[in-house]
């Protein structure tokens, strides 16, 4: 009985099978020792009864893999081979890594060659460097020490059918297939809002924002460049890690404070603990945004490729709003709201138009989140200098809480700043 007697046609297999690597678990008489044998089902079906159409044995288990998934069942077979390994008969396994579709550890078959291992690894990926590869070979010398040897492999010759280059493998050989130099998966950036031709654009390595904006036809006449928002995946991931770190630390601080209050038999920190828990709940519910604070007006005025131009990364999103006519005031004011922008009005004027500060406000730490994402702080302890206090449409004035009114938590300022700034960014994005 041969393989094609068991699987006579492709109608017997599921869609998208890996026809080139079929793995057979075989038990050898008389002791039932387990070995692995592989077959090329596609070659067998093309020539039934030929060399590729291997003969089956009693108790053989034939496994056909899916192209789209890992290799289920291989690990169980490797465990059996591992249990059979001895000093004189090392575990028959080999590995393949790098630019193949299914990297991993596979059973070493008798007479197995490099081409067979590539077949086990699901064939070369499209990004594979097909000229040559490298085998790392481990060999125990006189039972005393293990020696490592590196062997260069001529992949191009193997693919051309040169049997001399297709060397026989030994236990624990590791074949590494390199990646083509400067290979990059398709990277894109997205332009939204007041761009002449908004959409998603493929980018090449080293491309800048000015280059993509030129391809998109530039900004429309209604664009408000000062309020442009740019988000980046790398920054979003970094913000997510920072939020998780702050959540863990804030939880620990609240637990320590609650323990201190319990040991002291005091209830003086109850307000702080309640406020901290509310802050912790808000922080957990916060989603990272990944905003890159930048002034698009300066970028547009710069020379393409200069230091002021922005190098793009995969997944970047630029959102350009239309005309803005309001200034927002949030935090500890009587009526957080957005107010129609008027030239000459100061930060204090906008706060007064929002009903003024509450008793919990910290007037010394009021700051402005500019429409471009940059922050202007009140570092001098008094009101801003005139240039700093120049409020523009799209700006947001943030009035934080006065943490000195209660026992402050060490991370209070950091957490509240993150929550306010993310709220500002989310609100700005929702308007575009």
């Amino acid at each position: 009985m041969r393989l094609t007697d068991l699987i006579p046609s492709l109608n017997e297999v599921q869609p998208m099978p890996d026809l080139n690597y079929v793995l057979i678990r075989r038990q050898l008489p008389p002791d039932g020792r387990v070995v692995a044998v592989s077959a090329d089902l596609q070659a067998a079906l093309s020539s039934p009864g030929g060399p590729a159409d291997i003969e089956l044995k009693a108790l053989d288990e034939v496994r056909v893999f899916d192209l789209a998934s890992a290799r289920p069942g291989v690990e169980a077979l490797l465990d059996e081979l591992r249990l059979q390994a001895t000093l004189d008969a090392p575990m028959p396994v080999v590995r393949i890594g790098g630019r193949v579709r299914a990297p991993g550890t596979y059973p070493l078959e008798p007479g197995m060659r490099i081409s067979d291992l590539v077949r086990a690894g699901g064939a070369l990926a499209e990004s594979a460097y097909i000229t040559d590869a490298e085998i790392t070979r481990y060999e125990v010398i006189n039972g005393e020490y293990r020696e490592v040897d590196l062997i260069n492999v001529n992949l191009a010759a193997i693919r051309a059918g040169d049997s001399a280059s297709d060397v026989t493998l030994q236990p624990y050989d590791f074949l590494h297939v390199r990646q083509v130099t400067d290979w990059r998966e398709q990277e894109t950036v997205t332009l939204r809002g007041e761009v002449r031709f908004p959409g998603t654009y493929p980018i090449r390595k080293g491309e800048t924002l000015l280059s993509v904006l030129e391809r998109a036809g530039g900004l429309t006449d209604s664009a408000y460049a000062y309020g442009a928002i740019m988000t980046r995946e790398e920054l979003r991931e970094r913000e997510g890690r920072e939020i998780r770190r702050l959540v863990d630390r804030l939880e620990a601080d609240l637990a320590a404070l609650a323990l201190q209050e319990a040991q002291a038999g005091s209830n003086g920190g109850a307000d702080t603990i309640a406020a901290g828990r509310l802050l912790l709940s808000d922080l957990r519910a916060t989603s990272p945004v990944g905003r890159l604070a930048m002034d698009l007006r300066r970028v547009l005025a710069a020379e393409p490729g200069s230091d002021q131009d922005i190098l793009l990364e995969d997944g970047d999103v630029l959102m350009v709003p239309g005309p803005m006519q309001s200034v927002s005031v949030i935090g500890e004011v009587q009526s957080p709201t957005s107010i129609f922008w008027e030239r000459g009005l100061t930060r204090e004027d906008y706060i007064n138009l929002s009903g003024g500060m509450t008793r919990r406000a910290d007037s010394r730490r009021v700051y402005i989140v500019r429409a471009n994402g940059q922050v202007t702080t009140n570092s001098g302890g008094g009101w801003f200098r005139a240039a700093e206090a120049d409020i523009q449409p799209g700006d947001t004035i943030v009035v934080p809480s006065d943490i000195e009114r209660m026992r402050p938590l060490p991370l209070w300022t950091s957490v509240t700043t993150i929550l306010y700034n993310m709220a500002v960014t989310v609100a700005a994005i929702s308007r575009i």
Side-chain angles (χ1 to χ4, degrees):
M1 185 178 183
R2 294 183 177 273
L3 181 61
T4 56
D5 295 319
L6 182 66
I7 309 176
S9 73
L10 294 182
N11 294 330
E12 308 300 324
V13 297
Q14 298 287 345
M16 299 299 291
D18 185 349
L19 298 177
N20 300 120
Y21 184 68
V22 172
L23 185 61
I24 302 172
R25 176 191 179 276
R26 176 168 292 172
Q27 291 182 242
L28 299 180
D31 58 355
R33 185 176 181 83
V34 175
V35 298
V37 180
S38 72
D40 188 333
L41 180 58
Q42 186 173 38
L45 290 173
S46 299
S47 181
D53 192 11
I54 66 173
E55 184 178 342
L56 299 178
K57 306 294 183 181
L59 301 182
D60 277 358
E61 294 180 8
V62 181
R63 184 177 294 272
V64 182
F65 298 108
D66 189 334
L67 280 175
S69 63
R71 306 290 205 191
V74 173
E75 190 60 39
L77 179 53
L78 292 176
D79 288 340
E80 291 184 288
L81 298 177
R82 187 178 295 109
L83 291 173
Q84 295 176 168
T86 64
L87 178 63
D88 298 321
M91 181 179 175
V93 295
V94 286
R95 294 173 58 203
I96 185 170
R99 307 311 295 175
V100 291
R101 295 194 307 190
T105 302
Y106 292 93
L108 174 63
E109 308 164 39
M112 189 175 188
R113 296 177 177 272
I114 293 174
S115 58
D116 298 317
L117 181 54
V118 172
R119 183 166 52 85
L124 301 176
E126 61 177 338
S127 59
Y129 181 63
I130 63 172
T131 301
D132 56 50
E134 182 180 78
I135 286 181
T136 304
R137 176 162 290 174
Y138 302 92
E139 186 176 0
V140 177
I141 307 299
N142 299 325
E144 298 177 357
Y145 61 92
R146 198 181 198 191
E147 193 173 79
V148 179
D149 191 18
L150 297 179
I151 303 173
N152 287 324
V153 175
N154 190 338
L155 275 182
I158 294 173
R159 285 165 53 84
D162 182 7
S163 58
S165 300
D166 197 8
V167 301
T168 302
L169 299 174
Q170 296 182 12
Y172 301 108
D173 278 357
F174 179 23
L175 175 65
H176 177 71
V177 180
R178 304 182 182 94
Q179 179 176 286
V180 171
T181 303
D182 287 336
W183 175 272
R184 291 157 62 93
E185 300 296 336
Q186 183 63 68
E187 297 185 351
T188 60
V189 298
T190 301
L191 306 181
R192 291 168 45 190
E194 296 297 326
V195 180
R196 292 194 182 278
F197 303 104
T200 299
Y201 288 80
I203 58 172
R204 59 185 181 274
K205 182 179 180 180
E207 189 159 9
T208 64
L209 182 57
L210 283 177
S211 171
V212 174
L213 282 174
E214 182 180 3
R215 291 164 55 192
L219 305 183
T220 68
D221 295 337
S222 301
Y224 186 52
Y226 176 64
I229 297 172
M230 189 169 187
T231 61
R232 176 161 289 175
E233 286 299 323
E234 178 190 359
L235 298 180
R236 193 195 315 273
E237 293 173 1
R238 190 186 306 171
E239 284 179 5
R241 291 193 297 268
E242 179 66 12
I243 289 173
R244 290 191 294 271
R245 184 186 68 84
L246 287 175
V247 165
D248 292 340
R249 290 186 58 187
L250 189 56
E251 283 180 334
D253 290 344
L254 285 171
L257 182 57
L259 181 60
Q260 292 173 7
E261 293 293 317
Q263 291 175 340
S266 170
N267 198 34
D271 290 343
T272 299
I273 294 174
R277 286 173 177 166
L278 181 60
L279 202 62
L280 181 61
S281 176
D282 291 341
L283 190 60
R284 282 178 175 149
T286 299
S287 298
V289 178
R291 181 173 186 175
L292 175 64
M294 58 95 189
D295 192 337
L296 184 58
R297 297 173 304 179
R298 292 185 180 180
V299 176
L300 295 173
E303 290 293 326
S306 66
D307 292 342
Q308 294 294 324
D309 201 355
I310 297 177
L311 284 173
L312 296 174
E313 296 182 7
D314 184 35
D316 284 353
V317 178
L318 177 68
M319 293 163 277
V320 183
M324 291 185 176
Q325 294 182 295
S326 63
V327 173
S328 299
V329 184
I330 65 174
E332 294 297 334
V333 291
Q334 300 293 343
S335 179
T337 187
S338 293
I339 300 168
F340 188 78
W341 175 81
E342 293 185 36
R343 188 178 302 278
L345 290 184
T346 65
R347 183 190 70 167
E348 186 178 17
D349 293 332
Y350 286 106
I351 292 175
N352 289 334
L353 289 171
S354 300
M357 300 182 187
T358 67
R359 288 183 296 177
R360 295 185 302 175
D362 187 346
S363 61
R364 296 169 301 173
R365 293 178 51 244
V366 176
Y367 61 94
I368 300 171
V369 180
R370 299 294 186 180
N372 61 15
Q374 298 171 346
V375 177
T376 302
T377 62
N378 184 11
S379 58
W383 291 105
F384 292 115
R385 296 192 301 269
E388 294 175 331
D390 183 23
I391 307 297
Q392 298 296 322
D395 289 349
T396 299
I397 301 169
V398 180
V399 182
S401 302
D402 186 359
I403 62 174
E404 294 181 1
R405 291 181 176 272
M406 59 182 71
R407 291 176 58 182
L409 295 169
L411 302 176
W412 195 290
T413 301
S414 298
V415 173
T416 54
T417 300
I418 286 176
L419 292 174
Y420 279 133
N421 291 355
M422 286 190 174
V424 170
T425 301
V426 170
I429 291 175
S430 66
R431 292 196 297 262
I432 300 175

